[in-house]
């Protein structure tokens, strides 16, 4: 069972990993293996594969991650804009930020990691095996690559939700409203546009005209309970788990793979660096996901279809 108390999005402290049980049958934690052949043997027998993805996958497509030294948009720390309080205080600034992100995403494409996951899902599906993506990303690159079984934990950059009537819908308009055209430049010297609230994106449901917000999960907000429940079911039934391009510091997703590992299920981490959870996993493959993941997921000699 996933730790159900962590249902709101936030940043996890490393000490929260401490109460998690060690993998069944383990003594002291051993350094994760980077033996690709050993991973491939387990992969060839896995029937239900869960793949948890984070910002590192999208970064290889040129998508800004807004983490670390690059964590600012203009002079604002990006995470401080991704809150309901920030939207309430200054919806114009927050919409400029998300307009910038939407426009950037329209110029980006799936990279080899996205494509390898999608191809693996399609190929194994023909063999009666399942591959499910549980992503923290909001950029739709997995679906654009061809993945079908996707749970978007943090919502979708190209969906909006009405603050008045609650209607949620896909929205690919560019710009999303006339007042935002040419706005959103990330340069620290750029002044806020201070767009009047009545000129920001509005609901098009008959008789509504309420203010729209991005249909994403902001820090401090509760994740969609249906999506969380379905993701939990996938993780509880998987016999192999991959953690790809995630820092393992944003909960509740940060707790998912360690909980799977605690049940004795093999977990393989693909990342550019170690994370607070690395030592709990059976495998760690260091390097760009677009380089390390495709050979890990390619057709195995034992596959019949």
């Amino acid at each position: 069972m996933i730790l159900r108390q962590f249902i709101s999005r936030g940043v996890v402290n490393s000490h929260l990993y401490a109460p998690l049980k060690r993998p069944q049958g383990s003594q002291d934690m051993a350094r994760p293996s980077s033996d690709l052949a050993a991973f491939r043997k387990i992969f060839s027998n896995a029937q239900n594969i869960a793949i948890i993805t984070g910002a590192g996958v999208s970064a290889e497509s040129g998508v800004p991650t807004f983490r670390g030294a690059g964590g600012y948009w203009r002079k604002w720390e990006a995470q401080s804009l991704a809150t309901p309080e920030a939207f309430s205080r200054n919806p114009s600034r927050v919409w400029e930020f998300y307009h910038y992100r939407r426009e950037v995403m329209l110029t980006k494409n799936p990279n080899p990691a996205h494509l390898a996951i999608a191809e693996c899902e399609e190929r194994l599906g023909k063999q009666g095996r399942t591959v499910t993506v549980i992503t923290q990303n909001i950029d739709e690159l997995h679906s654009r690559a061809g993945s079908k079984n996707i749970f978007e934990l943090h919502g979708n950059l190209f969906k909006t939700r009405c603050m008045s009537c609650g209607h949620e819908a896909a929205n690919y308009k560019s710009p999303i409203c006339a007042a935002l055209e040419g706005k959103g430049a990330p340069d620290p010297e750029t002044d806020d546009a201070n767009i009047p609230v009545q000129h920001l994106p509005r609901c098009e449901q008959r008789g509504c005209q309420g203010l729209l917000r991005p249909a994403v999960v902001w820090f401090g907000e509760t994740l969609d309970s249906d999506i969380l429940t379905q993701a939990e079911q996938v993780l509880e039934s998987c016999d192999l788990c991959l953690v790809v391009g995630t820092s393992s510091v944003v909960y509740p997703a940060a707790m998912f793979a360690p909980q799977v590992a605690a049940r004795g299920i093999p977990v393989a981490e693909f990342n550019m660096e170690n994370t607070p959870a690395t030592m709990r996993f059976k495998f760690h493959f260091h390097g760009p996901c677009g380089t390390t993941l495709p050979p890990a997921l390619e057709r195995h000699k034992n596959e019949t279809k």
Side-chain angles (χ1 to χ4, degrees):
M1 177 68 71
I2 302 301
L3 295 180
R4 296 296 292 188
Q5 64 265 42
F6 296 109
I7 59 172
S8 296
R9 186 181 179 190
V11 178
V12 71
N13 294 318
S14 59
H15 75 271
L16 290 173
Y17 288 105
L20 295 175
K21 295 185 295 182
R22 295 181 177 182
Q24 296 172 2
S26 70
Q27 299 298 321
D28 296 326
M29 287 188 189
R31 184 171 296 279
S33 169
S34 58
D35 185 339
L36 182 59
F39 169 82
R40 294 278 292 162
K41 183 176 181 180
I42 294 172
F43 168 75
S44 70
N45 293 313
Q47 297 298 309
N48 299 294
I49 302 173
I51 303 180
I52 303 167
T53 69
V57 180
S58 295
E60 293 180 31
S61 288
V63 179
T65 63
F66 297 108
R67 299 283 168 83
Y72 284 80
W73 174 81
R74 295 181 183 168
K75 61 182 179 180
W76 307 99
E77 187 177 16
Q79 289 188 16
S80 71
L81 297 174
T83 69
E85 293 79 14
F87 190 72
S88 177
R89 285 193 302 268
N90 196 327
S92 174
R93 179 185 297 150
V94 173
W95 258 122
E96 275 200 88
F97 172 56
Y98 279 94
H99 170 66
Y100 164 73
R101 296 181 70 178
R102 284 166 58 95
E103 295 299 302
V104 167
M105 278 312 310
L106 291 174
T107 70
K108 305 303 180 184
N109 294 302
N111 63 58
H114 296 107
L115 297 172
I117 291 170
E119 190 279 332
C120 182
E121 176 191 329
E122 181 180 20
R123 189 183 78 244
L124 298 193
K126 296 175 181 177
Q127 303 169 26
R129 302 159 68 188
T130 63
V131 175
T132 305
V133 175
I134 300 170
T135 188
Q136 300 169 79
N137 299 333
I138 62 174
D139 51 39
E140 285 197 344
L141 286 177
H142 281 298
S143 60
R144 285 169 56 190
S147 291
K148 305 297 183 187
N149 300 327
I150 309 171
F151 294 111
E152 296 174 320
L153 293 176
H154 295 162
N156 189 309
L157 190 59
F158 294 100
K159 289 182 180 178
T160 56
R161 184 183 312 126
C162 179
M163 299 287 289
S164 297
C165 72
H167 179 70
E168 188 170 308
N171 188 315
Y172 295 93
K173 293 180 181 178
S174 175
I176 191 169
C177 69
L180 280 167
E181 185 168 10
K183 309 299 183 183
D187 191 303
E189 302 304 315
T190 302
D191 293 328
D192 285 355
N194 293 318
I195 299 169
V197 67
Q198 64 268 25
H199 295 153
L200 292 173
R202 312 300 296 193
C203 181
E204 296 181 356
Q205 292 295 103
R206 179 175 296 182
C208 185
Q209 284 294 304
L211 176 64
L212 294 178
R213 56 161 282 180
V216 298
V217 180
W218 282 327
F219 287 96
E221 290 187 323
T222 301
L223 272 66
D224 183 293
S225 60
D226 290 338
I227 292 176
L228 190 59
T229 297
Q230 292 176 80
E232 184 178 71
Q233 291 170 348
V234 168
L235 293 165
E236 289 179 343
S237 63
C238 73
D239 50 7
L240 175 63
C241 179
L242 280 62
V243 187
V244 184
T246 176
S247 61
S248 293
V249 297
V250 178
Y251 64 79
M255 313 303 291
F256 289 172
Q259 284 286 71
V260 172
R263 299 197 340 259
I265 302 300
V267 176
E269 183 178 57
F270 296 78
N271 212 341
M272 288 291 292
E273 57 190 9
N274 288 352
T275 71
T278 296
M279 292 302 293
R280 296 190 172 273
F281 302 150
K282 186 175 184 67
F283 297 99
H284 175 85
F285 297 100
H286 183 89
C289 303
T291 301
T292 58
L293 197 59
L297 297 183
E298 67 183 6
R299 181 180 294 274
H300 191 273
K301 64 181 181 181
N302 292 345
E303 293 183 37
T304 58
K305 294 183 181 180

